Amino acid sequence: MALDPDHLLNYCIPPVRQHYSRQDSAFYALSLGFGADPMDEAQLSFVDANRDVQALPCMAVVLGHPGFWLGNPDTGVDALRLVHAEQSVEWRSALPPEGEVIGRTRVTGLVDKGPGKGALLYSEKVLSDAVSGEVYAITRGTTFLRGDGGFGGDRQSLCQPHRVPERTPELVVDLPTRSEQALYYRLNGDDNPIHSSPATAAKGGFERPILHGLCTLGVAYHALLRGLADYRVERFAHLQARFCAPVFPGETLRTEMWNDGSFRTRVVERDLLVLDNGLVSLAQEESN
């Protein structure tokens, strides 16, 4: 059965109201691998909830998360054959280490790549304070629906990727992932079984459960924060990247960076590019 684009473009995704604690902020950082070096005071400031813990701004991608809504049968999507294709985060104000937020998610576009070529679904989440309405971040994602092309829609992609420089990167940071990292990360709210169940992963065409794309992006964010910002979270205003291939938990991620904020990430063990077309932009006060 062909996908119904009108139904999906107007699909109602209920707002998510979420309270989070300092412990939740610390757990999110731990799920990305922060704290792996217990002697690194800069990392400890994000994972020790007993001190003046900082919230990682990239936690905006999991707060107010609507869950695996594309897995609902009434979406008409082949949920076993979808993958995260692109992600961006635009930060509007500092995310406090604890509080109550509302995430409002909507579908913003749908592109038909053609029969047998899949489709692209674009979505946006506005994350705001539940009381004041202050917007903390706007996250935008693209999901590749591998089994849902050919419904006759527009074939022009809505987002153009950033081109990273062709010259040698100015900085390289290697960060390991843990074999159980996807099991930790899914507790942030993304419980797609492709990240935990070998049988589900096999049905999706993977030899074993894969790491969440947003976890891969979070590890790259850690590398950028270390390499370009000296762990000063206020330095970044916007981040974007395109997912190229899945990561298996336990692999090492090498993030290559340029001074203009361009970046890409590859798996060291397989010499495989997993994030490309990356760009992180400096906050206005830092770029003057």
Side-chain angles (χ1 to χ4, degrees):
M1 179 182 297
L3 184 146
D4 182 347
D6 290 332
H7 172 67
L8 201 52
L9 285 167
N10 293 284
Y11 193 83
C12 180
I13 306 171
V16 176
R17 190 181 188 106
Q18 179 182 356
H19 171 80
Y20 68 100
S21 66
R22 299 165 68 87
Q23 286 76 16
D24 293 324
S25 294
F27 177 81
Y28 173 75
L30 286 166
S31 75
L32 295 181
F34 279 76
D37 181 355
M39 300 301 292
D40 188 337
E41 289 283 345
Q43 292 188 46
L44 290 177
S45 68
F46 298 101
V47 300
D48 188 351
N50 292 322
R51 61 166 68 186
D52 190 18
V53 67
Q54 297 185 71
L56 285 171
C58 59
M59 188 167 64
V61 299
V62 299
L63 289 175
H65 191 276
F68 187 43
W69 65 272
L70 279 169
N72 296 338
D74 65 344
T75 64
V77 168
D78 182 350
L80 288 175
R81 299 188 62 199
L82 61 82
V83 293
H84 207 145
E86 297 169 317
Q87 183 67 46
S88 72
V89 187
E90 177 188 347
W91 291 288
R92 294 291 185 87
S93 57
L95 186 67
E98 59 186 341
E100 191 167 15
V101 294
I102 295 179
R104 294 181 173 86
T105 302
R106 65 189 181 97
V107 177
T108 57
L110 193 61
V111 170
D112 183 7
K113 304 300 287 184
K117 297 181 180 179
L120 297 175
L121 180 144
Y122 297 88
S123 61
E124 175 187 275
K125 181 186 72 181
V126 177
L127 185 72
S128 58
D129 184 90
V131 178
S132 69
E134 180 182 14
V135 175
Y136 292 128
I138 300 175
T139 69
R140 298 179 177 91
T142 306
T143 304
F144 182 28
L145 310 178
R146 295 184 294 161
D148 295 293
F151 53 85
D154 186 1
R155 296 194 179 189
Q156 182 64 43
S157 297
L158 302 182
C159 300
Q160 296 303 313
H162 168 71
R163 293 177 64 90
V164 301
E166 297 182 1
R167 64 182 184 276
T168 301
E170 273 87 42
L171 184 63
V172 175
V173 173
D174 287 357
L175 292 172
T177 65
R178 298 175 59 90
S179 58
E180 74 277 22
Q181 193 154 342
L183 300 178
Y184 288 127
Y185 191 85
R186 73 195 303 266
L187 298 179
N188 290 308
D190 187 344
D191 56 0
N192 184 340
I194 203 168
H195 304 296
S196 61
S197 166
T200 302
K203 290 178 182 178
F206 303 108
E207 63 184 66
R208 53 195 172 103
I210 60 175
L211 196 63
H212 300 69
L214 288 178
C215 186
T216 298
L217 185 62
V219 176
Y221 173 87
H222 183 182
L224 293 162
L225 196 62
R226 175 193 290 183
L228 300 179
D230 194 27
Y231 286 102
R232 294 166 56 197
V233 297
E234 72 278 4
R235 291 206 67 197
F236 294 152
H238 181 269
L239 177 133
Q240 66 186 64
R242 175 171 289 191
F243 301 98
C244 304
V247 173
F248 295 117
E251 294 182 317
T252 304
L253 296 179
R254 172 170 293 164
T255 299
E256 302 167 339
M257 295 165 260
W258 288 263
N259 290 333
D260 68 349
S262 299
F263 71 94
R264 65 189 176 203
T265 302
R266 66 180 68 249
V267 167
V268 172
E269 291 83 356
R270 292 181 285 153
D271 192 25
L272 177 68
L273 195 64
V274 293
L275 288 178
D276 200 6
N277 309 110
L279 179 66
V280 63
S281 303
L282 295 179
Q284 187 64 41
E285 61 268 21
E286 292 292 333
S287 60
N288 289 334

